[in-house]
Amino acid sequence: MAAASASDLQEWVEGERRNVIGMADVLGVSSDTYARDPLSLVPALQDYVSRAPLDEFEQSDWITLHADLMSYVADYLIQKHGASWRVVDDPAAPRGYRFVIEAAGRDGQTRRVDPFDVVGREFGNLPIDVTRMLAGAELTLHLASQNARRA
């Protein structure tokens, strides 16, 4: 199995960004508003997933929702926390690698999270809660304190 090239990674990064910007547009959040604050998408995205007839979804619907939420989780981490996409070897993956998000935590340690897995965990804990999903990713990367005070 071949390793991902720099162009594979760049193509992935650009595709994920286009996807989340397109999703924001469809949900009525302008690209300028989203670029200023990625949290601006949460209310519209939560409304969308809350209204979605998940019990009627076919496999293709689940795949699309998974991809959209994955794009958002990753882009949120990139925009809010300076995270970045990385390629890691994964012999179990069809291509032999997968794309993950990497960030330095509050403790200075660099960690990785797979946004695909973050969304998958959320699907196993219905109903989907966008804020909980983002918080879970932040906690995995140690970007937020587990004992953070509520505002």
Side-chain angles (χ1 to χ4, degrees):
M1 297 194 192
S5 69
S7 65
D8 291 334
L9 178 59
Q10 188 60 32
E11 184 177 318
W12 177 264
V13 169
E14 290 170 4
E16 291 300 298
R17 180 70 175 164
R18 275 191 310 273
N19 188 52
V20 76
I21 294 296
M23 182 176 47
D25 184 52
V26 166
L27 294 174
V29 177
S30 75
S31 58
D32 289 342
T33 299
Y34 177 75
R36 280 191 304 275
D37 181 10
L39 284 174
S40 64
L41 185 55
V42 169
L45 187 55
Q46 185 63 58
D47 184 59
Y48 170 72
V49 298
S50 294
R51 292 173 177 264
L54 301 179
D55 56 341
E56 298 173 19
F57 269 27
E58 296 180 11
Q59 184 177 7
S60 62
D61 299 318
W62 282 106
I63 291 169
T64 299
L65 181 59
H66 201 137
D68 287 347
L69 292 174
M70 181 186 76
S71 294
Y72 178 61
V73 167
D75 200 66
Y76 167 82
L77 293 169
I78 290 165
Q79 298 301 317
K80 282 302 241 188
H81 298 290
S84 58
W85 282 106
R86 295 286 187 249
V87 178
V88 295
D89 291 333
D90 183 354
R95 295 177 286 197
Y97 61 88
R98 59 191 166 101
F99 299 101
V100 298
I101 290 292
E102 182 178 273
R106 293 178 65 163
D107 59 1
Q109 295 292 320
T110 299
R111 292 180 180 78
R112 294 177 175 160
V113 68
D114 187 337
F116 185 86
D117 293 343
V118 170
V119 175
R121 282 192 301 271
E122 192 62 27
F123 283 0
N125 193 24
L126 297 176
I128 297 167
D129 183 321
V130 175
T131 303
R132 179 180 60 208
M133 192 172 50
L134 296 175
E138 287 176 326
L139 287 171
T140 298
L141 293 170
H142 291 232
L143 298 170
S145 168
Q146 290 187 25
N147 298 319
R149 294 181 191 159
R150 300 216 177 227

